[in-house]
């Protein structure tokens, strides 16, 4: 029956292409930049454990649900939700889920491309040999000088936004396929190589201990909430990005196998990044809890010191930019697909419009690290990067988990069970029942309880 619906925007040519595109979306700054710095802020091991549990019992089931909805609807998330709600005899107001996703994608894109801009700037610095002889202080000063210069940030933010718009304007398929095929293996390889360096710092064991030895006394309610939000962020869940990619997925492809592959690769990249960065942090007397600059301060020290550092440093930041690029594409694709479907806009016009809007909005983040910086308290933790933190909390901590919760409720309670069986295509065996139980009971309640608990809204 889903064969009746055909995507207006084309289809992935194979299962492999879907895996590549979804991995491209999932693996990005979230893994290499955000995971290490929030792990550092939240004390390590216990936080990592909560994050891994969230991936396994909330992230993966909801990711399957999101792809399932997308493939069944074959439209932009807004229209998909409207259509599927009608099919299930429910309210067309479910399309709000799509709207919230479009807004979340635009908000995330606005700051994501500022951070990606840092990585673009670091490509040139690395190639220039700027890192040679760096120690903790000079690396920190270099980073500090960059982020406190709004002009520089706005410029690199513009370059990255333009790169993203170029790909989205041509349709997500062309280019992406080749790019991800080469880049993902290259990224793995380089991380493996850097792990070799990390082992040689003599602090590898300290890094592993920090990452994998849970000390629950360091885990705060705010940390739990951050881990939950990050499970959504890193898998690109809860705002329709994976839904829109699912809408281009061929009917015969197995959703469960594909999603497991993507989630495992995403988690591996994050853990590898952590295993590279923390030994370097400890070896150079840096603070794990130093915030968003952690990766941009620790890695340059390593590149400045190792032999071949010029080459590896340049290559590494190039790969980070590419990883961010293939993620950013999926952040604005839902909005662009909507404008094309409902406003009859050309893809190019839609992409330029959304890109320009995100760039302007991104200036808020650009200023967050200099003149507009302010601190505030959230769920018992102090945040120091002003509007950047506000946007991050609003999107990762609330919009994505709540969006994911709504997706789980829709797949578990609103859609006909038979339709989910048909779409998942694994029969009604044990695998299906585990998934169904998780999306129906576990994921939505877990998200709700974790949010309420962290905000101290539950009686203790
Ligand atoms: N997952 C990406 C990362 O880890 C970021 C990202 C891309 C994203 N698309 C998304 C996050 C959609 C949330 C929703 O860098």
């Amino acid at each position: 029956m889903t064969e009746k619906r055909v995507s207006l925007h084309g289809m992935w040519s194979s299962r492999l292409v879907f895996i590549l595109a979804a991995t491209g979306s999932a693996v990005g700054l979230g893994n290499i930049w955000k995971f290490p710095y929030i792990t550092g802020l939240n004390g390590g091991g216990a936080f990592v454990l909560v994050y891994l549990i969230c991936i396994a019992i909330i992230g993966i089931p909801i990711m399957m649900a999101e792809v399932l909805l997308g493939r069944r609807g074959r439209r932009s998330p807004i229209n998909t939700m409207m259509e599927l709600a009608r099919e299930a005899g429910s309210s067309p107001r479910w399309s709000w889920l799509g709207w919230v996703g479009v807004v979340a994608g635009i908000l995330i894109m606005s700051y994501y491309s500022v951070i990606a801009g840092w990585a673009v700037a670091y490509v040139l610095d690395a190639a220039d040999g700027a890192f040679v002889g760096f120690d903790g202080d000079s690396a920190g000063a270099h980073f500090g000088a960059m982020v406190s210069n709004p002009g520089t940030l706005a410029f690199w933010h513009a370059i990255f936004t333009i790169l993203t718009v170029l790909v989205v304007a041509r349709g997500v398929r062309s280019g992406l396929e080749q790019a991800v095929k080469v880049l993902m293996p290259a990224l793995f390889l380089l991380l493996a190589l850097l792990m070799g360096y990390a082992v040689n710092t003599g602090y590898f064991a300290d890094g592993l201990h920090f990452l994998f030895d849970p000390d629950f006394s360091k885990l705060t309610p705010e940390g739990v909430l951050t881990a939950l939000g990050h499970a959504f962020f890193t898998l690109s869940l809860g705002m329709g990005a994976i839904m829109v990619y699912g809408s281009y997925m061929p009917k015969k492809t197995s959703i469960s196998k594909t999603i497991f592959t993507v989630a495992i690769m995403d988690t591996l990249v994050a853990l590898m990044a952590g295993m590279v960065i923390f030994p370097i942090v400890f070896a150079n007397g840096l603070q794990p809890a130093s915030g968003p600059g952690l990766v941009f301060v620790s890695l340059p020290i390593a590149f400045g010191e190792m032999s071949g550092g010029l080459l590896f440093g340049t290559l590494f930041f190039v790969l980070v930019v590419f990883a961010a690029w293939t993620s950013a594409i999926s952040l604005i694709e839902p909005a662009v697909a909507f404008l094309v479907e409902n406003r009859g806009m050309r893809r190019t016009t839609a992409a330029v419009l959304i890109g320009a809007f995100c760039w302007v909005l991104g200036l808020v983040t650009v200023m967050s690290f200099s003149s507009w910086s302010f601190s505030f308290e959230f769920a018992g933790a102090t945040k120091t990067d002003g509007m950047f933190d506000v946007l991050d909390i609003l999107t990762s901590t609330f919009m994505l988990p709540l969006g994911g919760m709504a997706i789980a409720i829709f797949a578990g309670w609103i859609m006909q069970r038979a339709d989910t069986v048909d779409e998942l295509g694994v029969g009604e065996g044990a695998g299906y029942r585990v998934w169904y139980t998780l999306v129906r009971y576990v994921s939505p309640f877990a998200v709700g309880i974790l949010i309420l608990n962290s905000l101290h809204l539950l009686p203790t």
Side-chain angles (χ1 to χ4, degrees):
M1 104 148 268
T2 44
E3 303 298 354
K4 279 193 307 208
R5 296 200 191 99
V6 180
S7 169
L8 301 174
H9 314 275
M11 298 270 270
W12 308 114
S13 44
S14 69
R15 168 177 132 96
L16 180 67
V17 179
F18 174 82
I19 294 188
L20 290 171
T23 311
S25 166
V27 174
L29 296 173
N31 307 63
I32 297 163
W33 158 76
K34 196 171 178 189
F35 172 74
Y37 102 72
I38 58 178
T39 298
L41 281 175
N42 289 286
F47 173 85
V48 174
L49 188 66
V50 175
Y51 155 78
L52 291 175
I53 294 172
C54 287
I55 295 274
I57 67 169
I58 302 175
I60 293 179
I62 293 186
M63 198 169 187
M64 289 182 192
E66 191 170 333
V67 173
L68 181 157
L69 298 186
R71 187 166 73 178
R72 200 158 189 89
R74 295 248 185 258
R75 292 281 180 276
S76 76
I78 295 172
N79 294 327
T80 284
M81 289 316 298
M82 183 119 56
E83 188 72 9
L84 294 182
R86 186 179 308 136
E87 186 176 276
S90 187
S91 159
R93 277 194 295 267
W94 276 101
S95 64
W96 270 99
L97 180 54
W99 280 108
V100 173
V102 164
V103 173
I106 289 174
L107 292 177
I108 296 175
M109 177 65 183
S110 81
Y111 70 81
Y112 200 83
S113 56
V114 175
I115 314 294
W118 299 356
V120 182
Y122 267 50
V123 170
L124 300 184
D125 290 346
D128 221 25
F131 303 155
V132 177
F134 264 11
D135 58 13
D137 288 339
S138 44
H142 184 85
F143 176 74
M146 175 182 75
V147 293
S148 57
N149 185 336
T152 315
L153 295 194
F155 175 75
W156 294 117
H157 163 49
I159 298 289
F160 183 81
T161 307
I162 291 169
L163 286 176
T164 307
V165 166
L166 281 177
V167 176
V168 176
R170 297 182 52 205
V172 289
R173 257 191 60 195
S174 39
L176 193 66
E177 198 166 327
Q178 277 75 10
V180 187
K181 251 187 213 160
V182 183
L183 293 165
M184 282 303 140
L187 188 64
F188 266 106
L189 222 81
L190 207 65
L191 281 172
L193 194 129
L194 290 175
M195 260 163 84
Y197 173 87
V199 169
N200 278 328
T201 57
Y203 284 80
F204 197 65
D206 302 61
L208 291 186
H209 173 73
F210 183 76
L211 274 171
F212 298 116
D213 195 0
D215 174 355
F216 288 97
S217 69
K218 292 198 184 135
L219 193 64
T220 61
E222 196 258 347
V224 173
L225 194 55
T226 307
L228 171 75
H230 190 63
F232 283 90
F233 186 91
T234 192
L235 293 175
S236 305
L237 285 188
M239 52 72 64
I242 288 298
M243 195 185 289
V244 104
Y245 276 18
S247 76
Y248 312 147
M249 187 182 191
K251 167 80 178 160
K252 282 197 279 300
T253 308
S254 154
I255 291 180
S256 51
K257 272 192 240 152
T258 335
I259 293 311
F260 271 115
T261 314
V262 175
I264 288 170
M265 287 200 282
D266 184 78
T267 308
L268 274 180
V269 174
L271 296 179
M272 283 169 86
M275 288 189 274
V276 167
I277 285 155
F278 287 106
I280 299 174
V281 166
F282 295 126
N284 292 285
L286 300 172
Q287 286 305 322
S290 52
L294 188 68
V295 176
F296 291 90
V297 174
S298 57
L299 288 181
I301 303 178
F303 293 129
E305 186 190 71
M306 68 173 75
S307 53
L310 216 66
L311 176 69
F312 294 135
T314 313
L315 204 61
F316 178 80
F317 284 107
V318 166
L319 290 175
V320 172
V321 172
F322 269 105
W325 194 5
T326 54
S327 300
I329 290 167
S330 73
L331 282 169
I332 58 171
E333 176 66 16
V336 170
F338 173 75
L339 289 179
V340 171
E341 284 171 14
N342 289 43
R343 298 281 177 271
M345 237 180 238
R346 286 170 40 225
R347 271 196 88 82
T348 314
T349 320
V352 170
L353 205 73
I354 301 286
F357 185 75
C358 290
W359 183 81
V360 174
L361 200 62
L363 296 178
V364 170
T365 296
V366 162
M367 302 307 291
S368 295
F369 301 97
S370 46
S371 43
W372 292 3
S373 84
F374 58 86
S375 13
F376 61 97
E377 291 284 316
F378 172 73
T382 309
K383 303 284 167 181
T384 53
D385 289 312
M387 284 307 288
F388 161 73
D389 280 326
V390 172
L391 283 170
D392 182 39
I393 292 173
L394 179 66
T395 51
S396 320
T397 308
F398 294 106
M399 298 178 90
L400 301 179
L402 291 173
M405 183 186 201
I407 287 169
I409 291 173
F410 192 87
W413 296 90
I414 307 291
M415 251 176 116
Q416 297 290 324
R417 189 171 180 276
D419 286 346
T420 62
V421 173
D422 170 48
E423 202 60 50
L424 270 188
V426 289
E428 287 191 68
Y432 175 82
R433 288 202 302 271
V434 169
W435 172 80
Y436 199 61
T437 309
L438 288 174
V439 285
R440 207 168 141 87
Y441 301 106
V442 180
S443 329
F445 290 104
V447 170
I449 287 172
L450 291 185
I451 290 186
L452 293 178
N453 181 52
S454 309
L455 300 179
H456 309 292
L457 297 174
L458 286 183
T460 43

